[in-house]
Each structure stands twice: as structure tokens, then as C-alpha cells.
Amino acid sequence: MLDDAIKTQLAAYLQRLQQPIELIASLDDSATANDMFALLTEIAALHPRMVSARFDGQATRRPSFQITRVGADMGIHFAALPMGHEFTSLVLALLQAGGHPPKVEQALIDQVKALAPAQDLVFETWMSLTCHNCPDVVQAFNLMAVLNPRIRHTAIDGGVFQQEVEARQILAVPLVFLNGEVFASGRMELAEILAKVDTGAAQRAAAGLSAKEPYDVLIVGGGPAGAAAAVYAARKGIRTGVVAERFGGQTLDTLGIENYISVLETQGPKFAAALEAHAAQYGVDITRMQRAARLVPAEQPGGLVKVQLESGAELSGKTVILATGARWRELGVPGEQAYRNKGVAYCPHCDGPLFKGKRVAVIGGGNSGVEAAIDLAGIVGHVTLIEFGDALRADAVLVAKLKSLPNVSIHVMAQTTEITGTGADGKVNGLVYKDRRDGSEHRIDLEGVFVQIGLVPNTEWLKGTLALSRYGEIEVDAKGGTSLPGVFAAGDATTVPFKQIVIAAGDGAKAALGAFDHLMRSSVPVAAAPASAEAVAA
């Protein structure tokens, strides 16, 4: 199962175990079970003094295995062969079960340990091995199961348990159940999960945030623009803060990045982690899991700009940089919202394996749409690509690859007008489009629709506060300045053309320099930065 290089690396990791662990498998006669037997046997052989494997498990869902400390009954289970994106989840589960300390804020660890639910919390995370959003969710719940004996978690590969996927109508991952009921879907961090489980946590967090001192530069948004702004501002030796729902922005939902200069190839989550580490290196105060609700301009020249959050907290800064990014644009047709996560999807890498052998459509003929169609063609039965314009807009090499595939149909000058579904089980069963050349309507029978039609800026909360373009983008000048003094903006939320990671990062740096210039020219003195940041900047 594991090649020699991976075995060597894993053996080195297992030396960090502080307490012996046990792998308990519940197998059947499937090919996956045979592979699971081989994998667990190989892992145990890498450190036989600290790792043992048993194959007499009594779990109902088979094949599966439990990871537990010897003499304990930890609630970490994999109903999956955790390779691909989930191999890291496996390694972390092994280490944490064996007493190796997690790289998580102590406050979050204490919060998990303090949970005292009325009944055990039994979580199930449905995932796919090609989903780059799933590992963070799996790892968060696994850690909770290590830290608190009242929490149990099973990571389930939907590709292995297809019958259960059909029965439970699972058409998007990651999807989490709590005690048999849907708990949440999509990418989540540990703090987000705790906010849903620990009632009252949001109020406590809001009170703590409102007590923070004003920043010299307060950045709203944690994507490439926000991260670059944070680094450039902090290097000036001034008090810098970032508030964001999650650090990394859209890069967290990007599978492969191959066009960021000097980085030949990387994956979105890895890139996002590097962004956060770079900002943290300079002492930037990072606040996650918060969504901005309102911008309050300074009452007088040189005064504080305030950012009110949905949680009720309020942060302020002598300058503010808006880097809220953008999100996937929706079709806005009947059926889209009704069948979201029931056949309508926006991430082909995450949800594609759930449609194995089925018929799907991809809406959009740009690079994202064509790349999605190419990837899906290797999994599903048939892909229909629908483009509103008169030609595909993707790079020529991608279009040529798409047209070479035998299970792909392409319709241009086609306007999607409706997504249809079954009344009985509430799943997508078709799509209706209009031929823009003659006005005729056509229906396609299918089971999935992947929407890839571009982005819309996250600026609704700013309407009526500062100047926006007719597309909702923040209007900026050559230094990233907006129509409000002391307020700057950067990245995909602005009028700057070409929404690319490298452009957003450059925009963030420019906005930070613009904000610093504003501070230097105003009468407001800047605060001293943490000593560590000053030392690094020097």
C-alpha cells in the first residue's frame, strides 16, 4: 500500500508517539477491506512497540477501523481507506491518539475538553478522497474525539459506501451528521464547529473582540490580498489586525495553483496555510470566524473607522483595508437553490466522485468550467457543457483536450433557464436551456449540475457606505484608496481587472503602503508594534 519513501517518513512520525495506540479493524470481503488490512498491517510494522493492529472489530459499518489509545476507547473511526487528501488526516489521528500535542490554540483545546453535552456527540463526516475541503473537517472532528470522551467521529468515504450515499441522498461533501441529523456542510475549521456546538461561545468571543484596542491598520478579509496587506503593514512596525471568516479566502477552495510566480505548483489549502504563517510571523493579530456587517466611517478627519461584525462585536482602526474577495456566482434560475447540495454543486473536485457513472452538466465555458468538465469526464458517465456565448472562452489547450473526450457534449449560445428535480426524493433530474440562436427550448436528463460562471464580489454589506461600481466592486484609485478617507481596498472585491491570486497579493501590498502613507500624512500617531515584529522588520 505504501511506497518506501512514505514508509520511511511515516516511521519517523510514529517515533513521536508518547503512548501506545491500537488499530481495530472491522472488515468484510471487499477489495477495500483487503487494502485496509494491508495498510494497517504496514503501519503497525513501522513501530511495533507503540502501534498494534487487530482485525476483530465489531463495527456495523464495514470496512472500517478505529484508532484508539491502548486501554481507552477513543472515538476516531475511518470508514474509508484514508489515502490521497486524507492521508494527512490519518497521520494526525495516529499521532494525536498517541499523545503528540496538536498544533491548535490552547483556548480551543480547553473549549473542546470543557464540553459536557447531555448525550454523547456522535459525528459522521461524509467525504471523498479527492475533496480538498474535507481534510480540515475530518481532522477537526478527530481531534475533538481525542480530547473529549463524549465525542465520537467517523470519516466515511462516499465512494466506498455508495448504497448509503443513495439512501441518505448525499450529493455534496463534506457533509456532517450529528446523532443522525444533518449538522453542517462545507469546509469548517475547529472554531466554526465549536461555535455551533458550544452555545454561548459566540457571545463570549464578541465581548472579547470589542475590548480590543484600535489598530493602525485593520484588514477585513484573509485571502491573498488581505494576507499581503497584513505582511506589508506589519513590516512597517505598526499595530496590524486581520478579521476574516477564514484565512486563505478562495484559495482554500482551489485544488491546484500553478501560476503564482516562483511557486511551480501547490495546492490551495497549503498555499492558504503559508499565507497565514507569513502574517503570523510578523505578529499580526488574526481574528477568524467573524463576518463584517457594517462599515462606519470616521466621524472626523483622522478619526477611527469602525467595522461592526455580525456577532455584535466592533473593531476599529485608524485605517481600514477591505479585502473581502469574491464568491462563486450563482445562475439565479428556478431550481438552483431548491436543489443546492442535492445535485447542484460548485466544486467538481469535492463532489465529482459522488456522481460516478452518472450524467452531469457544467455551466460555463471559461477556464474553470472547461477544467471542471475535463476532470468530471474521467469520473462520471457523461458531461454536457453549456456556454452562454458563441464560443468557449477557455485557453485553447484546454478546449482541445475537452473536445477530444468521447463522453462530452458541448452547447454554445445556450442559456440555462431551469434546473428540475424529482418531487419524491428532492434530487436534480434535469436541466432546461434555451438555444439563443432560434429561441427553442431543450431539456437534458441528468443527475448533477456544476455551476462555473465566475465570481461576484462580497460587498453587499458596503452598499450605501462607499462608492461601488455597477457590478458591486469597490472603486479604488492608484494607491488602493476608496471614496472614504482612511479606507482602502484590494483584491477581487475591487474594480481592479483580472481576478488572479498574484494580482490580489500585489493589490494588498499596494493598499498597505497606501494606508501607511495616509497614517504618515495624518496627525494621528501610530502605535508601536509588538517587539517581535519590529525585530523581524528590522
Side-chain angles (χ1 to χ4, degrees), residues 313-436:
E314 182 178 271
L315 298 174
S316 61
K318 297 168 186 175
T319 60
V320 167
I321 297 175
L322 305 172
T324 49
R327 62 187 183 277
W328 289 115
R329 185 180 298 277
E330 298 177 349
L331 283 168
V333 301
E336 181 179 19
Q337 292 302 319
Y339 297 108
R340 192 179 184 122
N341 295 331
K342 297 179 181 179
V344 175
Y346 300 84
C347 180
H349 303 296
C350 300
D351 301 333
L354 300 175
F355 295 86
K356 183 177 181 180
K358 297 181 179 180
R359 302 160 297 177
V360 303
V362 173
I363 314 298
N367 279 353
S368 296
V370 172
E371 288 174 349
I374 292 171
D375 289 343
L376 288 167
I379 302 172
V380 305
H382 188 272
V383 179
T384 301
L385 188 142
I386 296 178
E387 162 58 28
F388 184 84
D390 59 2
L392 301 183
R393 297 168 283 107
D395 295 343
V397 63
L398 294 175
V399 174
K401 172 64 176 177
L402 181 70
K403 291 182 176 180
S404 72
L405 300 175
N407 61 334
V408 173
S409 300
I410 301 171
H411 298 288
V412 297
M413 292 292 285
Q415 178 181 359
T416 304
T417 58
E418 184 182 3
I419 297 172
T420 64
T422 60
D425 55 14
K427 296 192 296 185
V428 166
N429 68 0
L431 177 148
V432 179
Y433 74 90
K434 180 175 71 175
D435 189 321
R436 297 178 57 232

Side-chain angles (χ1 to χ4, degrees), residues 98-272:
H100 185 69
K103 294 181 179 180
V104 175
E105 297 172 21
Q106 187 61 45
L108 293 177
I109 292 175
D110 293 342
Q111 190 178 353
V112 174
K113 289 182 176 180
L115 289 174
Q119 61 176 324
D120 284 357
L121 302 179
V122 180
F123 293 98
E124 296 174 324
T125 299
W126 287 86
M127 52 82 171
S128 69
L129 299 183
T130 58
C131 169
H132 56 281
N133 287 325
C134 295
D136 280 354
V137 180
V138 171
Q139 291 162 25
F141 281 110
N142 281 348
L143 177 57
M144 291 174 67
V146 168
L147 296 174
N148 193 315
R150 300 295 304 276
I151 297 173
R152 309 191 72 79
H153 175 242
T154 304
I156 309 166
D157 181 1
V160 174
F161 295 91
Q162 283 286 337
Q163 288 186 345
E164 198 169 349
V165 164
E166 293 288 342
R168 301 178 78 166
Q169 301 181 25
I170 297 168
L171 294 173
V173 292
L175 179 65
V176 181
F177 287 80
L178 169 58
N179 295 336
E181 301 294 331
V182 173
F183 172 75
S185 63
R187 187 188 190 94
M188 291 179 290
E189 298 178 357
L190 178 58
E192 294 177 81
I193 296 167
L194 287 172
K196 290 177 67 70
V197 174
D198 185 5
T199 57
Q203 291 81 358
R204 295 194 301 271
L209 289 176
S210 296
K212 290 191 175 185
E213 293 295 321
Y215 297 95
D216 293 313
V217 177
L218 172 60
I219 300 157
V220 185
V231 169
Y232 267 73
R235 280 177 59 87
K236 294 297 184 181
I238 58 179
R239 177 169 160 75
T240 304
V242 173
V243 58
E245 287 189 75
R246 53 181 186 164
F247 211 98
Q250 288 181 67
T251 62
L252 288 167
D253 301 322
T254 304
L255 183 60
I257 299 172
E258 300 176 349
N259 57 357
Y260 194 84
I261 306 307
S262 84
V263 180
L264 295 181
E265 182 181 0
T266 187
Q267 293 181 337
K270 182 178 179 180
F271 186 83

Side-chain angles (χ1 to χ4, degrees), residues 289-324:
M289 297 306 307
Q290 296 291 330
R291 184 197 291 263
R294 183 169 177 249
L295 180 70
V296 182
E299 295 180 357
Q300 58 188 10
L304 295 175
V305 180
K306 299 177 181 179
V307 177
Q308 296 175 349
L309 308 176
E310 288 187 354
S311 65
E314 182 178 271
L315 298 174
S316 61
K318 297 168 186 175
T319 60
V320 167
I321 297 175
L322 305 172
T324 49

Side-chain angles (χ1 to χ4, degrees), residues 422-477:
T422 60
D425 55 14
K427 296 192 296 185
V428 166
N429 68 0
L431 177 148
V432 179
Y433 74 90
K434 180 175 71 175
D435 189 321
R436 297 178 57 232
R437 288 165 294 202
D438 59 17
S440 59
E441 281 200 345
H442 304 268
R443 174 183 167 81
I444 304 172
D445 292 328
L446 43 74
E447 289 77 40
V449 177
F450 289 83
V451 182
Q452 303 279 288
I453 57 172
L455 303 170
V456 57
N458 296 316
T459 58
E460 291 86 353
W461 65 288
L462 295 168
K463 289 181 179 178
T465 305
L466 46 63
L468 302 176
S469 73
R470 63 191 179 105
Y471 301 109
E473 299 166 322
I474 304 168
E475 295 183 352
V476 291
D477 61 21

Side-chain angles (χ1 to χ4, degrees), residues 58 70 85 97 144 155 160 223 268 275 302 308 383 399 484 526:
Q58 301 301 309
V70 172
H85 287 298
M144 291 174 67
V160 174
L275 292 177
Q308 296 175 349
V383 179
V399 174
L484 291 177
V526 298

